[in-house]
Amino acid sequence: MQQLSPIDALMLYIESASAPNQLNPVIVYEPSSAESGVVRFKEILENINSRLHLAPSFRRKLIYPPLNLDDPYWVDDEHFDLEFHVRHIALPKPGDWRQFCILISRLIAHRVDLSRPPWEIIVIEGLDNIDGLPTGSFAVLYKIHHACMDGISGAELMSVLQDLGPEGSKLSAAPEWQPKSAPGQYQLLYRAGKKLLSRPSHTFGVARKIFPVLRAGKAVEKKRAAGLRVPHTRFNNAPSPQRAFDVCFFALSDIKKIRNLAEGATVNDVALAIVAGGLRRYLLAKDELPDGSLVAGVPVSTRSAGSVGGNEISAQTSKLYTDIDDPQQRLIAICEAMQENKAYLNAVGAKELAGLSTIMPGQILAYMAKTALSLSARMGRDLLCNTIVTNVPGAQVPLYFTGAKAVKMFGGGPILLNISLTHVISSYCGEMAVNITACRKLMPDPAFYRECIQASFDELLAASLAR
């Protein structure tokens, strides 16, 4: 039995019926490298079943203390059924990219079952009319609740199912699984009471550590806050239950060329500049571009080496400089802003800031977050950010699943209350993917937004080649 951290519990409580808080990685495979040139669903089930013991979270569900007096716990699901969690569907002909994105949009709009281990794997066949994919390719969509993990630990969990060669890993026989008994309600009540009694001393200890750190970063924070105003956009309204989903792919070699447009620029800076240019184009086309710059929320991992599972993240905000027309100057401004953010996190300490979350339960954190977002929506302004842009680095060597070679890797993220547009940046084997997940009501034309993202990349690349 393991209790959710307050941040994990926050990820559970902050969602709503129209905004499930789920991570949605997608991997596309071509099966010619498999032993028979074809991968059967039965083989996929057998492969996953043989690896469940390598990641205990696959078979853990949530239980709640009486009256929700404390954050929930992970316990073994004694009724675990693999075939409930792993499913199989196919695109109707012709099986093109538009059909694929619409299907994923519908699948990720549905919440995972929180009475069971909160994850699903959906195998999608019929990808027979997509440029660059061989006939017979299939995709694997993961639906994993954010309470289980953040993007980094999610990638680590998925690596359990991947191999470095088509022949697969040489695994020893999986041990017979015996679920551990869950604690009773009286035991959970006792634990909750004990924790409530110890909270004041814990709060004092955290505050004693964090206060000097906060003072050290105060000057930097004042500089960052000056001029950081978040304008209202169409994406800062409450989302509908429907989703829009699409992806752009770029060569990492081209991304590295674009980096040369700004001294000290990182791949993440370039990704932010691509998103900024895409947003500028999209809102200009709608005659909705604010005079002031849009602001992105950028999650920051605080994960230590060897840490497994759960959420270990902090966050920062950064201007996207959508009010700057020139793409190179926009990238330079974003690079400088991100360097200031880094100076702030170095002064304050992202890990120390994340430690503040341990002072209060996840329910209270979620209530505070929802209240802040709700009030900002009523005021007509978003107090946090306009969109989320998160970077999840991926493998740069080929990966295999049940003998099939991964050829594309990307993934969607959750949208939150009145932040109804999320960009997930991922990379795999020399290619960077920019994924778009949005409320379909607020973005009814994701294919057009993808064109805007592509045009933003094209103008940055052209500027880098013109140097």
Side-chain angles (χ1 to χ4, degrees):
M1 183 176 73
Q2 178 183 354
Q3 188 171 32
L4 277 69
S5 72
I7 288 291
D8 293 342
L10 168 66
M11 297 300 173
L12 182 67
Y13 293 127
I14 200 172
E15 72 175 356
S16 66
S18 59
N21 196 8
Q22 297 165 181
L23 305 176
N24 303 117
V26 181
I27 308 179
V28 180
Y29 300 91
E30 66 95 2
S32 64
S33 56
E35 187 173 354
S36 61
V38 177
V39 176
R40 307 292 183 191
F41 184 63
K42 180 181 177 181
E43 295 173 309
I44 290 175
L45 284 174
E46 291 173 349
N47 183 28
I48 295 173
N49 188 58
S50 70
R51 299 164 187 251
L52 291 175
H53 66 289
L54 300 176
S57 56
F58 276 132
R59 291 187 281 211
R60 289 179 179 170
K61 67 176 183 179
L62 293 163
I63 60 169
Y64 298 80
L67 305 177
N68 285 329
L69 289 175
D70 198 2
D71 293 328
Y73 289 82
W74 294 114
V75 297
D76 289 343
D77 180 6
E78 68 275 19
H79 302 301
F80 178 78
D81 178 3
L82 180 62
E83 293 190 35
F84 173 85
H85 294 272
V86 185
R87 303 171 188 181
H88 179 217
I89 57 178
L91 284 178
K93 292 187 180 301
D96 58 27
W97 181 257
R98 180 175 177 275
Q99 288 176 296
F100 182 49
C101 289
I102 290 174
L103 176 61
I104 292 179
S105 300
R106 291 172 178 168
L107 292 171
I108 66 176
H110 294 284
R111 303 168 82 172
V112 295
D113 187 346
L114 291 177
S115 68
R116 301 170 182 258
W119 63 272
E120 297 173 15
I121 290 176
I122 303 170
V123 179
I124 306 172
E125 292 187 331
L127 282 61
D128 296 330
N129 195 30
I130 297 177
D131 291 343
L133 294 184
T135 300
S137 296
F138 65 94
V140 175
L141 165 65
Y142 294 79
K143 295 173 60 176
I144 309 171
H145 200 283
H146 214 324
C148 297
M149 62 197 67
D150 55 31
I152 301 298
S153 60
E156 292 171 351
L157 180 64
M158 287 195 303
S159 69
V160 168
L161 303 178
Q162 312 296 316
D163 297 308
L164 296 176
E167 67 284 352
S169 304
K170 302 300 181 183
L171 299 174
S172 56
E176 183 179 353
W177 182 63
Q178 294 292 336
K180 296 178 181 178
S181 299
Q185 292 292 291
Y186 287 113
Q187 185 177 351
L188 293 175
L189 187 62
Y190 171 77
R191 285 172 173 263
K194 185 177 179 182
K195 189 172 180 180
L196 285 171
L197 291 174
S198 67
R199 193 172 295 280
S201 60
H202 172 70
T203 300
F204 176 76
V206 172
R208 186 175 59 182
K209 291 179 182 178
I210 203 75
F211 184 69
V213 180
L214 290 175
R215 289 188 62 185
K218 189 174 181 180
V220 185
E221 171 62 15
K222 284 184 178 180
K223 185 177 180 181
R224 288 180 68 250
L228 188 63
R229 299 292 181 267
V230 183
H232 189 78
T233 72
R234 63 166 54 208
F235 306 119
N236 302 119
N237 294 299
S240 72
Q242 286 74 41
R243 292 293 168 269
F245 183 96
D246 217 319
V247 193
C248 291
F249 298 99
F250 309 113
L252 275 175
S253 57
D254 288 335
I255 298 297
K256 292 174 181 177
K257 292 175 185 175
I258 295 172
R259 283 174 53 187
N260 295 326
L261 290 173
E263 184 178 354
T266 66
V267 169
N268 196 50
D269 296 337
V270 174
L272 286 169
I274 292 171
V275 168
L279 279 168
R280 177 182 168 84
R281 283 177 174 269
Y282 184 84
L283 293 175
L284 273 173
K286 308 290 183 183
D287 196 25
E288 297 177 6
L289 182 67
D291 294 333
S293 170
L294 271 64
V295 175
V298 185
V300 177
S301 175
T302 60
R303 186 166 298 278
S304 305
S307 180
V308 178
N311 289 271
E312 296 186 32
I313 53 175
S314 183
Q316 59 184 348
T317 54
S318 177
K319 293 174 70 173
L320 291 174
Y321 296 94
T322 49
D323 52 337
I324 297 178
D325 179 56
D326 182 84
Q328 180 175 0
Q329 293 305 313
R330 192 184 309 126
L331 172 59
I332 291 171
I334 287 172
C335 181
E336 291 174 351
M338 291 300 289
Q339 288 172 354
E340 286 186 6
N341 286 340
K342 185 177 181 180
Y344 171 69
L345 289 175
N346 286 340
V348 175
K351 203 169 186 68
E352 285 78 6
L353 282 178
L356 283 171
S357 66
T358 65
I359 290 177
M360 60 189 72
Q363 281 180 296
I364 298 178
L365 287 172
Y367 176 78
M368 292 170 61
K370 285 184 175 182
T371 300
L373 289 168
S374 176
L375 287 175
S376 67
R378 292 177 188 177
M379 292 163 58
R381 296 179 62 87
D382 184 89
L383 301 179
L384 300 179
C385 61
N386 300 110
T387 182
I388 303 294
V389 184
T390 182
N391 192 347
V392 183
Q396 297 305 311
V397 295
L399 298 177
Y400 297 81
F401 173 67
T402 320
K405 182 180 180 181
V407 292
K408 295 282 184 183
M409 191 176 296
F410 49 95
I415 61 178
L416 303 172
L417 298 174
N418 63 335
I419 307 173
S420 298
L421 173 62
T422 294
H423 303 81
V424 177
I425 314 300
S426 56
S427 58
Y428 171 67
C429 280
E431 185 174 68
M432 186 176 82
V434 178
N435 169 260
I436 305 151
T437 306
C439 163
R440 180 168 287 279
K441 180 181 178 182
L442 303 177
M443 183 183 281
D445 48 0
F448 173 62
Y449 184 53
R450 175 166 51 87
E451 292 173 5
C452 293
I453 294 286
Q454 181 66 54
S456 175
F457 165 81
D458 290 341
E459 66 179 1
L460 283 165
L461 182 60
S464 71
L465 297 176
R467 284 169 60 92

